[in-house]
Amino acid sequence: MGVWPIGVQARQHAVQLAQSGRLPGHSAQDPVDEVCGSPYAVAGYHPDAGLGGDEALDQLRAALRSRGLGLILDFVPNHLALDHPWVREHPEWFVGSASRRAETFRTGSGARQRWIAHGKDPFFPAWTDTAQLDWRLQAVHEAMLRELFAVAERCDGIRADMAMLLLPEVFEKQWEAWPAASGGRAEGSFWSHAIAAIKSRHPRFLTLAEAYWDLEPTLLDQGFDYAYDKRFYDHLIARRPADLRAHLSQSTAALWSRGARFLENHDEVRVASLASQMEHRSWAALLLALPGLRLVHEGQWDGLRGRADIRTLRRRVEPIDGSLRQSYHFLSRSVRELGDWVEVPQLLVPQPAWPGNPSHDGFVGWMGRRGGASPFLVVANLANHEAQCVFRLPETFGAVAHAWVDLLSGQEFSTGFGESGGRVLSLAFSPHRCAWLVPGKMG
């Protein structure tokens, strides 16, 4: 984030918020030279000269490659900065009106006067430091595809900001009351065409969609490699294990294997401020054991609690939680040694350990094969109390082992047989415990 130049007006907008005490983490008495403006008000898709321009970005990318890493940059297609050149050169490319409306700004004068809408999510106030592109127009599709090609030359992948806003069915509904400018109307979704075009030139280019409103499968179908699985985050952070199980059971195979999951990001509060260290460790183990893309945010592994506003350079100095960092290093190393998932896991349904014991509802678990096709079982008690449950192990994974060992604690478990046959695993877990189980030998 923040590689592209931020609009001058966007910074002025943020400075005004800071001076009035309305910029989070910034008091009215703090110096405004730390205020940079929002990186989501992009003034052009070329590296900011203040960061060293293309030369510095190339050096960064080369340094990453020497360590086996790729570079993903933000692509913000829905809107642009108020002072992006297109606002002056092609005002017809933006959603607008000849007369003033709410959440607009004025451009031009006389016969060329136009009121352009600010970028907007339909469920929140407009982003008043941005201008809303009109994705009904073919000219906008073509112009932004050229920008995306330029981005793809500079990195190994993109995170597409608010990707679902560009879907024709979403855009038409949100802006149907606004007239489209004259000109050729776009046909189909920008993403289907754009991703195919980019992949034809850069086959390994990675595309990640920020997605909400249960539109993740749609965006995956249109070519994205990964899409946010925000509902996983919501249910986990809200401590709703039953809802989390329901979400996973209803998830498509594509979302299971290509969901992007996280415990925090720049839009969310720090997980260390929400959870005890024990709960944080359990959530981290659950997250990293999933298929798909797992995002660990800057500072998350250090237990940082202060959320930094993206419009300011200010960062609170905090002590590092060395024990938590060691846990993340252990989890990361262990999950790499396990290898990739070789198939979509199967969700397990917890059953009461005995009649009248409701504590099984705190469990979540799944089973599959990864690495050398060895069975791998992930189970967690998400409740804040000790809980017991029974899991019936699916026979779809071949001969189910009679003994399992937890890679996180070294504890061994044995399976038994249920009343109707088949292997079952009985568990009694302390609060917030997660286990990674692989076949092992008792004794």
Side-chain angles (χ1 to χ4, degrees):
M1 286 176 19
V3 165
W4 317 120
I6 296 169
V8 173
Q9 292 184 50
R11 182 175 184 274
Q12 293 172 346
H13 183 272
V15 166
Q16 291 171 359
L17 291 176
Q19 291 175 332
S20 63
R22 292 180 291 141
L23 188 65
H26 218 278
S27 72
Q29 292 73 39
D30 290 331
V32 296
D33 58 352
E34 296 177 334
V35 178
C36 59
S38 172
Y40 293 94
V42 175
Y45 280 102
H46 48 84
D48 192 300
L51 298 176
D54 271 312
E55 182 180 357
L57 186 64
D58 289 344
Q59 292 174 0
L60 171 62
R61 190 179 182 190
L64 291 170
R65 280 182 170 175
S66 72
R67 292 160 173 81
L69 297 171
L71 174 64
I72 296 176
L73 299 178
D74 246 4
F75 182 61
V76 188
N78 181 66
H79 48 265
L80 294 168
L82 298 173
D83 42 14
H84 188 284
W86 291 356
V87 174
R88 181 181 67 257
E89 298 166 2
H90 297 285
E92 72 279 4
W93 287 0
F94 297 84
V95 174
S97 171
S99 58
R100 185 173 186 174
R101 297 195 187 193
E103 299 183 323
T104 62
F105 66 100
R106 187 176 64 182
T107 64
S109 61
R112 289 181 59 82
Q113 179 175 284
R114 183 173 173 83
W115 295 87
I116 293 179
H118 292 299
K120 188 173 175 60
D121 172 326
F123 298 104
F124 294 95
W127 300 300
T128 53
D129 53 1
T130 69
Q132 176 65 57
L133 284 164
D134 193 336
W135 283 94
R136 295 169 294 191
L137 302 177
Q138 181 63 25
V140 171
H141 283 226
E142 293 173 356
M144 286 303 286
L145 180 57
R146 290 192 294 270
E147 297 292 87
L148 182 54
F149 270 118
V151 171
E153 294 294 334
R154 295 177 164 103
C155 60
D156 306 295
I158 58 164
R159 186 202 76 109
D161 181 70
M162 300 294 281
M164 72 288 176
L165 293 181
L166 272 61
L167 294 173
E169 61 272 24
V170 172
F171 196 91
E172 290 284 355
K173 182 177 180 180
Q174 179 172 350
W175 299 104
E176 60 185 354
W178 293 70
S182 59
R185 297 276 296 199
E187 294 185 7
S189 171
F190 171 76
W191 294 123
S192 297
H193 172 64
I195 294 175
I198 291 294
K199 295 274 190 179
S200 67
R201 187 177 299 181
H202 305 281
R204 300 188 65 183
F205 193 78
L206 186 146
T207 53
L208 164 63
E210 181 186 18
Y212 305 107
W213 315 332
D214 296 322
L215 290 170
E216 301 87 351
T218 300
L219 291 163
L220 292 173
D221 286 345
Q222 293 191 8
F224 276 98
D225 296 302
Y226 299 98
Y228 275 34
D229 184 1
K230 179 65 161 39
R231 292 198 184 276
F232 175 89
Y233 167 85
D234 290 336
H235 296 319
L236 184 65
I237 297 299
R239 292 139 174 113
R240 299 190 294 255
D243 290 338
L244 179 58
R245 291 195 304 271
H247 167 65
L248 291 173
S249 70
Q250 296 162 10
S251 295
T252 63
L255 186 58
W256 259 104
S257 58
R258 294 158 58 198
R261 302 177 182 92
F262 46 85
L263 301 182
E264 64 175 60
N265 61 33
H266 67 280
D267 282 327
E268 312 298 343
V269 298
R270 292 284 195 180
V271 64
S273 68
L274 293 175
S276 67
Q277 191 184 86
M278 181 183 300
E279 193 171 24
H280 187 169
R281 290 173 191 259
S282 176
W283 289 353
L286 202 64
L287 171 76
L288 293 179
L290 281 161
L293 185 151
R294 282 72 38 87
L295 171 65
V296 179
H297 187 218
E298 173 269 331
Q300 176 181 325
W301 53 82
D302 290 332
L304 301 189
R305 297 169 176 266
R307 180 185 174 192
D309 193 281
I310 60 174
R311 294 165 292 185
T312 177
L313 304 178
R314 171 164 293 203
R315 297 294 182 268
R316 190 173 77 188
V317 178
E318 298 184 58
I320 290 174
D321 187 332
S323 175
L324 184 65
R325 176 186 277 188
Q326 288 181 352
S327 294
Y328 268 100
H329 286 180
F330 172 76
L331 291 170
S332 299
R333 183 175 63 253
S334 299
V335 81
R336 285 196 300 269
E337 292 172 350
L338 285 166
D340 295 333
W341 288 92
V342 297
E343 61 193 343
V344 176
Q346 181 173 335
L347 185 72
L348 302 181
V349 180
Q351 301 293 332
W354 59 80
N357 179 358
S359 66
H360 67 285
D361 192 55
F363 280 86
V364 64
W366 55 83
M367 184 177 181
R369 281 192 285 259
R370 60 187 307 164
S374 298
F376 182 60
L377 175 59
V378 180
V379 289
N381 171 25
L382 300 180
N384 60 3
H385 53 76
E386 186 174 328
Q388 303 80 31
C389 81
V390 174
F391 282 116
R392 181 175 297 279
L393 303 184
E395 298 292 340
T396 52
F397 299 105
V400 177
H402 73 279
W404 299 79
V405 61
D406 178 14
L407 296 179
L408 305 183
S409 70
Q411 183 179 353
E412 295 181 337
F413 299 85
S414 60
T415 59
F417 288 94
E419 295 180 359
S420 57
R423 293 275 185 181
V424 296
L425 181 63
S426 299
L427 300 173
F429 273 14
S430 57
H432 312 306
R433 178 180 176 184
C434 182
W436 293 356
L437 302 178
V438 296
K441 293 182 179 180
M442 298 299 293

